[in-house]
Amino acid sequence: MCLDIIKNPVKSLSDAKRVKNLRKSVLTLIETSVLFALASGIVVAGSGLSEVFLLGSIASVFAALFIGLLLLSVIVNVVVTTLGGKGKFFEGLTVVSYSMLPIGLAVFVSAIASLAPFTGGIQLIILALGFALGLSMLYRGIKELYKTDMITSFVAVSVTILTLLLATYASVGLSMLTNIATIAPV
């Protein structure tokens, strides 16, 4: 596992900027997807649902997250390069995969903790630390890998989040309108 990213995120980002190892970025993305998939499996197993749901949950979360994070990498790249950053898909993939790793680990550890009673406070601390590290790595990674300043990095993350929210809203709205149109009599 890419624990060096979590142990020393600043050094990991500067190494990624210097070396440009696509294999490590993809491996980190796979590890992140596995952590989220295992976390969903733990939650499903803890709920007592059948094994069919367990395997389906693990597989679907892995596939959805892997594809979703690849798409997020493209969106980050488009946003940052449009705002004046200098980089390619590698930088977007690296920033997204490196920043999602601590979040995935936190979700995984929190899922394990959820099996024990009265661990809500511990889960809160674990998730807060994971999200703090992941989001700060996202901002710093955009700053370092795309050679921007911190304000541009902040704007890029804000535009990326707004883009995802608007795309989700528009997609759900269009889907609802399509479903209503098929039900309504003509």
Side-chain angles (χ1 to χ4, degrees), residues 6-93:
I6 295 172
K7 287 180 184 176
N8 196 345
V10 175
K11 183 179 181 304
S12 295
L13 287 171
S14 65
D15 288 348
K17 179 181 178 181
R18 186 174 35 83
V19 176
K20 296 191 186 285
N21 186 351
L22 182 64
R23 186 171 184 265
K24 182 171 183 179
S25 297
V26 172
L27 181 65
T28 304
L29 185 65
I30 291 170
E31 288 175 357
T32 301
S33 299
V34 166
L35 285 171
F36 275 102
L38 291 175
S40 74
I42 290 168
V43 170
V44 169
S47 68
L49 294 173
S50 73
E51 290 178 16
V52 174
F53 289 117
L54 177 66
L55 296 176
S57 169
I58 291 171
S60 62
V61 168
F62 176 82
L65 199 67
F66 186 78
I67 293 168
L69 291 178
L70 284 175
L71 176 62
L72 183 61
S73 301
V74 171
I75 293 170
V76 166
N77 186 51
V78 167
V79 168
V80 179
T81 55
T82 303
L83 291 173
K86 292 168 183 63
K88 296 187 177 169
F89 176 71
F90 165 77
E91 283 78 9
L93 178 66

Side-chain angles (χ1 to χ4, degrees), residues 35-182:
L35 285 171
F36 275 102
L38 291 175
S40 74
I42 290 168
V43 170
V44 169
S47 68
L49 294 173
S50 73
E51 290 178 16
V52 174
F53 289 117
L54 177 66
L55 296 176
S57 169
I58 291 171
S60 62
V61 168
F62 176 82
L65 199 67
F66 186 78
I67 293 168
L69 291 178
L70 284 175
L71 176 62
L72 183 61
S73 301
V74 171
I75 293 170
V76 166
N77 186 51
V78 167
V79 168
V80 179
T81 55
T82 303
L83 291 173
K86 292 168 183 63
K88 296 187 177 169
F89 176 71
F90 165 77
E91 283 78 9
L93 178 66
T94 302
V95 165
V96 168
S97 63
Y98 279 33
S99 64
M100 287 301 293
L101 183 65
I103 296 172
L105 183 61
V107 169
F108 175 70
V109 172
S110 182
I112 292 171
S114 72
L115 298 175
F118 308 113
T119 58
I122 294 170
Q123 292 174 40
L124 176 69
I125 293 168
I126 292 168
L127 289 171
L129 290 172
F131 278 98
L133 182 58
L135 289 173
S136 60
M137 284 181 70
L138 181 64
Y139 284 103
R140 179 147 189 156
I142 289 172
K143 178 185 160 295
E144 295 290 327
L145 273 65
Y146 282 99
K147 300 175 183 97
T148 64
D149 57 359
M150 195 51 88
I151 293 173
T152 305
S153 177
F154 178 76
V155 171
V157 172
S158 301
V159 169
T160 301
I161 291 170
L162 183 61
T163 300
L164 293 173
L165 289 174
L166 289 174
T168 303
Y169 181 74
S171 174
V172 169
L174 289 172
S175 178
M176 289 175 63
L177 286 174
T178 303
N179 289 337
I180 289 172
T182 59

